[in-house]
Structures are given as C-alpha cells and as structure tokens.
C-alpha cells in the first residue's frame, strides 16, 4: 500500500511573520516545523516598556508551544539555525539533526547594526531581544542605586542616558525614561537630586520620526522637550566608551548608558545562505515572495527585501511581516493544489509612535492624523489587539491601568549578575 507523502514546511523564526505562516496553514495537508532559537515569541514593539520598568518581561513574550495546542500539523523546535544545505534540501541546526524541507520559509528577522561606530557594540545597549530589554532595565536601575550611594556618580555621567536614533524606538525609549525618572525615581530616591538625570536623544537628521509628516514630527519634538528630554538634531555620536560618548563636533559627554536605537540590518544568517541580497542584507524576493531561482523558498518580514507595487522597498514593520506570512501560507496551499502563485499586495494601515503618558502621534489611511491623548489611546488599543496571548493582554492592560492611575511602575527589579 502506498503511503501518502505529506509536504514538509520548515519555517525559520517564530516572530511576527513565521507565526502567521504556521497559523494560516492550519488544516492544510502539510507538516510544519517552526524553529526558533528562543522557546518564545517576542512582541518587539513593547520591549522599550520592559526596559523602562513599565511591563514585566513575560508580558511581552509568549511560549511558542502554547500557541499550537490546537494545531496538530505544527511542531516546534528550539534550536539555532546555522545554514541551509541546498543539495540535501535541509536546514542545519546547531547540535541537532538537520531538518529536511519541501518548502522553506525564511522569517529570521533583523538585528542591530552600529554602522562601525567605535565602541558602540562593546558599550552600547541595543533593544532587539527580551534579554536586551531586561539587561538595559537592570543597568538603568543600577545607575540610580550607584548614584544614590555616591552622588559623585552624577559628575561621572552615571545618570546621563544617551539614546541614539530619533525613529519610533528612540522616541519611545527616551520619552519613557524621562517619565520613569521624573515620576517614579523621584520618589524612590528622595536623597538624590533626580532632576540632574539627563536623557539625551540624538538624531543625525534635522527631524525626529522620519516616516511621519512634519506636524507629527514637531509634536513629538515639542512633547519630548516639555518632558525634559534634550533632543539633539543634526548630531552624531562618533564613538562610545564605558564612561563617555564623543560627538562629531568633538564634544565629549560623560555617560554610562548609551541606548542604540539607530540601525537595523537583516539577520546575518541571510549572508550565509548564498542567496541574492539587497540593501541592509535583506534577501531578494520576487512579487510572490519566493526567492528567485528557488521555487520552494520564501522570505518574509525583516529578513526580506519586499517591495510594493511601485517597486519601493517596504519598511521593516510588524504588519509587513504578518501580512507576508499570511500571503505565503496562502501561496503554499495554492501550490499544493497545482495553482499558480499570486503577487503579494501590502495594505498599509498607517503608522503610530507613542511619546509617553497621553502623548502619541498616529497617521492613518485617508489622511487621518491624530496627536496627543486620542493617538495615545489608539496606540494602546492597537498594541493590546496585536499582542500575542490572552493572559499577556490582560496583564498588560492591568499594568497600564495601574501605572496610569497610581503614577507608579512595578517591575523595577535588578535581576541577574552585574552587567559590567
Ligand atoms: C524595539 C523595537 C520596536 C519596534 N516597534 C515596532 C512598532 O511599534 N510597530 C511595528 O510595526 N514594528 C515595530 N518593530 C519592528 C517589528 O518588530 C519587526 O518588523 C517584526 O518583528 C518583524 O517580524 P519578523 O517575523 O520578520 O521577525 P521577528 O519578529 O524579529 O522574528 C524573527 C525570529 O527569528 C528568530 N531567529 C533569528 N535568527 C535565528 C536563528 N539563526 N535560528 C533560529 N531562530 C532565529 C528570532 O529569535 C525571532 O523569534 C519594532 C522593532 C524593535 C526591535
């Protein structure tokens, strides 16, 4: 008796894109293996709130296995993908057996790039993973404890926090830090002159929030300034040391914390695969999101150079990854039915960035522009909807409500060994 062969789909990465591929293959006659180096999915847009003690780490992450209890055609594997053996058509995983595939989906995301800035990789704090966020939170709280014990730390830059990059992550992080210091740490450290703590946001261009229109950019700038953030536009950090940063104009600022929110490059895994790459190392894909020359290989999300109908490169954002994931699941189903693939069409639903309590900007389709409290509420609602897991949504909602009503922040714990 002939045994039916079930196509094997291997998805590298359980991020926004990879999860959508697996979920949207529910019920399809395939065997999906979702492989990730972590056993959890991370909701990156809220990492800055973990770093600034607004949320617990577990609020913004979800165990991948827990998402597929009711989907029997998905298997999860925790492992570090090291490459692809194209001859054997198998994904190689560190210390584990290779994973043979009939279809391969590359969804490994992106990572930070320091643009070769001396010292930035050694002394800067990136904000890409949950570990980055808790590491930064530990470091921030430690700086305040050290300054409380010895106020001379202030002169050594102990409470100077430089954030590089005036995009949404930099703006959100700087705004949240200023709020944490002014509202919570002022009460936590009554013996310390917390007003001397500095948050400096550095942006090379002459404006913040590049993807936004001028009124939103101005609103972000004015709001941050009103909340005590020093915004330096047209400025560049040229080197970083453990106790100071140097600017392009030669100024040296004593500083023990540099948050790097400036550069993104495709996952370095992309460079090892021998596939065509575009700007920022992203894997080139055709209109249907297959890699040219590899009819069974797809790339989605931050690792892929996905273009819109006009040929413009799409931004590295969660909705692009999610919509691409759903598209690829649909195309794999079509291929199983011997139907031709369709081109990917991205539906832009707008962009938002929050600046702090009751302050955000949102630019939505149809020319709708929101600022202030209304944009902030829209931002909160949208993030709750997209956050993975009901328990996480409830926990985040409770935390936000608590923070709002009490002006307090819960998880400002120092965990783990000394960071430096
Ligand atoms: C701090 C921050 C804030 C952001 N804020 C927003 C926002 O407000 N709105 C928005 O739309 N977008 C935001 N983004 C961007 C958004 O998070 C990304 O566009 C989105 O996560 C891309 O999804 P992805 O599936 O391509 O990659 P990811 O979600 O990054 O998932 C990639 C997965 O691959 C895994 N992986 C990587 N390498 C390997 C390997 N070798 N082996 C095994 N597994 C591997 C990773 O562990 C990860 O789980 C933000 C990003 C960051 C870092």
């Amino acid at each position: 008796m002939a045994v039916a062969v079930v196509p094997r789909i291997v998805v590298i990465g359980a991020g926004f894109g990879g999860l959508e591929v697996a979920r949207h293959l529910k019920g399809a006659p395939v065997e999906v293996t979702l492989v990730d180096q972590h056993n959890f999915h991370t909701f990156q847009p809220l990492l800055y709130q973990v770093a600034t003690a607004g949320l617990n780490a577990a609020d913004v992450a979800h165990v991948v296995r827990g998402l597929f209890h009711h989907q029997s055609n998905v298997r999860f594997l925790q492992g570090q993908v090291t490459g692809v053996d194209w001859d054997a058509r198998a994904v190689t995983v560190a210390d584990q057996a290779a994973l043979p595939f009939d279809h391969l989906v590359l969804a490994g995301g992106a990572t930070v790039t320091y643009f070769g800035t001396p010292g930035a990789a050694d002394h800067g704090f990136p904000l890409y993973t949950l570990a980055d966020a808790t590491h930064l939170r530990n470091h921030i709280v430690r700086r305040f404890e050290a300054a409380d014990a010895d106020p001379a730390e202030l002169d050594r830059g102990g409470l100077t926090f430089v954030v590089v990059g005036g995009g949404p992550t930099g703006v959100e992080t700087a705004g949240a830090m200023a709020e944490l210091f002014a509202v919570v740490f002022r009460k936590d450290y009554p013996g310390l002159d917390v007003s001397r703590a500095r948050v400096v946001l550095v942006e090379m261009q002459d404006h913040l929030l590049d993807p936004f229109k001028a009124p939103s950019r101005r609103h972000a700038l004015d709001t941050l300034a009103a909340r005590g953030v020093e915004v330096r536009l047209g400025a560049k950090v040229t080197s970083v040391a453990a106790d100071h940063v140097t600017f392009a104009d030669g100024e040296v600022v004593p500083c023990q914390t540099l948050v790097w929110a400036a550069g993104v490059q495709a996952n370095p895994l992309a460079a090892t695969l021998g596939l065509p790459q575009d700007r920022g190392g992203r894997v080139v894909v055709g209109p249907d999101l297959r890699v040219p020359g590899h009819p069974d290989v797809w790339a989605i999300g931050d690792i892929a150079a996905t273009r819109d109908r006009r040929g413009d490169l799409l931004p590295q954002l969660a909705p692009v990854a999610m919509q691409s994931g759903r598209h690829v699941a649909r195309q794999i189903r079509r291929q199983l039915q011997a139907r031709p693939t369709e081109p990917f069409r991205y539906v832009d639903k707008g962009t938002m960035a929050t600046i702090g309590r009751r302050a955000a900007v949102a630019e939505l389709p149809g020319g709708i522009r929101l600022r202030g409290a209304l944009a902030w509420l829209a931002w909160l609602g949208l993030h709750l909807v997209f956050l993975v897991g009901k328990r996480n949504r409830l926990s985040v909602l409770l935390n936000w409500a608590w923070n709002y009503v009490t002006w307090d922040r819960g998880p400002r714990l120092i965990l783990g060994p000394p960071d430096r």
Side-chain angles (χ1 to χ4, degrees):
M1 192 176 72
V3 178
V5 179
V6 180
R8 295 155 305 181
I9 321 289
V10 173
V11 182
I12 303 175
F16 283 98
L19 279 190
E20 288 299 285
V21 177
R23 282 172 162 165
H24 286 264
L25 284 170
K26 186 171 184 172
V30 295
E31 220 174 63
V32 181
T33 302
L34 186 53
V35 51
D36 201 293
Q37 60 199 351
H38 301 123
N39 77 331
F40 53 82
H41 162 83
T42 305
F43 191 83
Q44 288 177 333
L46 290 177
L47 282 179
Y48 83 94
Q49 295 211 0
V50 175
T52 53
L55 292 173
N56 293 293
D59 294 339
V60 306
H62 199 291
V63 169
V64 180
R65 289 180 188 276
L67 299 171
F68 293 99
H69 286 170
H70 303 292
Q71 193 174 337
S72 58
N73 67 350
V74 174
R75 162 184 174 240
F76 175 71
L77 181 79
Q78 187 189 356
Q80 174 87 35
V81 172
T82 51
V84 176
D85 181 340
W86 296 110
D87 294 330
R89 288 174 63 78
V91 170
T92 53
V93 185
D95 305 321
Q96 302 195 39
L99 296 169
F101 63 82
D102 297 299
H103 283 273
L104 174 62
V105 185
L106 306 172
T111 184
V112 62
T113 175
Y114 297 100
F115 305 115
T117 309
D122 293 330
H123 305 292
F125 287 80
L127 200 46
Y128 244 90
T129 64
L130 204 51
D132 292 340
T134 48
H135 186 46
L136 177 57
R137 184 193 68 204
N138 289 343
H139 178 82
I140 292 172
V141 186
R142 274 202 184 99
R143 298 284 67 76
F144 276 83
E145 291 297 339
D148 192 48
D150 178 7
E153 275 295 299
L154 278 154
D155 302 320
R156 295 194 281 266
L159 296 191
T160 299
F161 300 83
V162 175
V163 180
V164 174
T169 301
V171 165
E172 291 175 347
T173 308
M177 273 187 185
E179 206 165 281
L180 174 70
F181 303 167
V183 173
V184 184
F185 284 175
R186 193 175 49 80
K187 291 183 282 184
D188 276 354
Y189 301 95
L192 187 64
D193 184 3
V194 172
S195 67
R196 286 185 62 200
R198 294 171 66 191
V199 180
V200 184
L201 178 61
V202 183
E203 168 55 49
M204 260 169 52
Q205 302 194 66
D206 62 0
H207 55 262
L208 297 174
L209 296 182
D210 194 45
F212 290 78
K213 301 265 184 291
S216 301
R217 293 172 179 172
R218 241 189 336 268
H219 181 73
L221 182 64
D222 294 346
T223 310
L224 285 174
R227 294 180 182 203
V229 176
E230 296 171 39
V231 181
R232 294 190 177 194
L233 298 176
K236 190 178 171 193
V237 167
T238 50
S239 72
V240 186
D243 58 357
H244 67 269
V245 295
T246 307
F247 284 83
D249 62 5
E251 188 188 1
V252 175
V253 174
C255 153
Q256 296 175 16
T257 314
L258 176 116
V259 182
W260 193 268
V264 175
Q265 64 172 351
N267 186 322
L269 180 67
T272 69
L273 301 179
L275 300 174
Q277 287 177 274
D278 201 303
R279 213 169 346 135
R282 300 203 234 175
V283 174
V284 172
V285 289
D288 59 2
L289 306 188
R290 279 188 293 183
V291 179
H294 293 263
D296 302 323
V297 179
W298 315 75
I300 58 171
D302 285 2
I303 203 172
T306 312
R307 293 180 182 275
D308 64 14
R309 266 185 246 210
R310 291 198 311 267
D312 294 332
L313 211 50
L314 288 172
Q316 285 160 300
L317 289 174
V320 176
M322 293 170 80
Q323 291 182 33
S324 305
R326 293 196 283 272
H327 172 84
V328 166
R330 264 196 316 274
Q331 303 318 305
I332 290 175
R333 284 177 186 269
R334 286 177 72 86
Q335 288 207 317
L336 296 177
Q337 297 159 354
R339 294 163 71 197
T341 59
E342 303 160 318
F344 173 61
R345 298 274 181 254
Y346 176 59
V347 182
D348 184 358
K349 296 184 179 151
T351 34
M352 295 181 171
T354 181
I355 308 157
R357 190 182 177 88
R358 295 173 67 82
V361 289
E363 296 186 350
L364 308 173
I368 300 169
R369 312 262 179 262
L370 305 176
R371 290 200 289 275
L374 196 58
W376 183 68
L377 284 173
W379 183 93
L380 294 178
L382 199 84
H383 282 70
L384 275 182
V385 168
F386 283 105
L387 188 63
V388 174
K390 293 191 188 78
R391 193 204 66 86
N392 286 8
R393 281 187 210 128
L394 188 62
S395 177
V396 167
L397 182 64
L398 273 175
N399 263 289
W400 283 347
W402 180 263
N403 296 352
Y404 187 76
V405 174
T406 63
W407 294 79
D408 197 9
R409 302 273 177 100
R412 44 196 193 278
L413 314 176
I414 299 174
L415 299 172
D419 51 330
R420 293 250 149 91

